Amino acid sequence: MKQFYNLKSLFRLSSLFVLLFSVITVVNSCKKDEDEEFKDHVVQFIAKTSTGGQLISVVTQVGTAQNIIYDKPTAPLKESWTSGEMWVNSSQAQINFAANAVLPQDNSDLTITLLIDGEVARTMKVTGKGDNKVAKVAYSFLEL
């Protein structure tokens, strides 16, 4: 009988531990998730060509809003273009940047740079001679 009593106590004790473990697990899983909220970032676009190069077009896209900043092949920009700083919320998810240029020599280059919060997030360099050299970059806040 005494052995039965000890077995019963052991069963109660183990049931208590299982119940306690279950309660702790449920409380931890129901804890409010601390997802980071969307943040504002300072974004800037830069397009440059080497000496003698000319920018034909510059296009930016933040989220779903495409913006053709410059598209004047009859009066190309000389060598560089820089956007002003703009605030972009990370809820916009995707940022795209592209530029076309005429490069006069085999060693001429077109470089585009996407700055986020003052740091280079993406850059691309295209080298060579040609009438329509294209460089494009994409950045997603969701990749972080």
Side-chain angles (χ1 to χ4, degrees):
M1 182 74 176
K2 192 173 186 182
Q3 190 176 17
F4 179 73
Y5 181 74
N6 284 339
L7 188 61
K8 199 172 178 183
S9 294
L10 185 62
F11 178 73
R12 284 183 184 163
L13 187 61
S14 62
S15 296
L16 179 66
F17 281 123
V18 168
L19 179 66
L20 183 62
F21 180 74
S22 299
V23 168
I24 290 172
T25 302
V26 168
V27 168
N28 274 342
S29 67
C30 293
K31 210 188 278 186
K32 184 179 177 182
D33 290 337
E34 295 185 21
D35 291 337
E36 285 190 27
E37 301 225 359
F38 296 118
K39 296 180 181 176
D40 287 334
H41 298 276
V42 177
V43 175
Q44 189 172 21
F45 304 97
I46 301 169
K48 293 181 183 180
T49 65
S50 56
T51 303
Q54 298 175 335
L55 290 169
I56 298 172
S57 66
V58 177
V59 179
T60 64
Q61 181 175 348
V62 176
T64 58
Q66 184 177 5
N67 190 8
I68 299 174
I69 303 295
Y70 182 76
D71 189 12
K72 304 281 188 214
T74 57
L77 291 172
K78 301 289 183 191
E79 298 174 13
S80 69
W81 173 84
T82 302
S83 73
E85 292 181 342
M86 62 179 78
W87 289 94
V88 175
N89 192 282
S90 58
S91 66
Q92 294 297 315
Q94 186 75 23
I95 297 174
N96 298 304
F97 178 37
N100 295 10
V102 174
L103 301 176
Q105 300 170 355
D106 291 335
N107 62 350
S108 298
D109 59 47
L110 164 63
T111 305
I112 62 172
T113 305
L114 173 62
L115 299 173
I116 297 180
D117 296 329
E119 296 181 14
V120 175
R122 297 280 190 272
T123 190
M124 181 176 188
K125 183 176 184 178
V126 177
T127 304
K129 182 178 182 178
D131 288 340
N132 191 16
K133 293 294 185 176
V134 179
K136 53 189 169 183
V137 294
Y139 180 85
S140 175
F141 288 109
L142 301 178
E143 293 175 358
L144 300 177

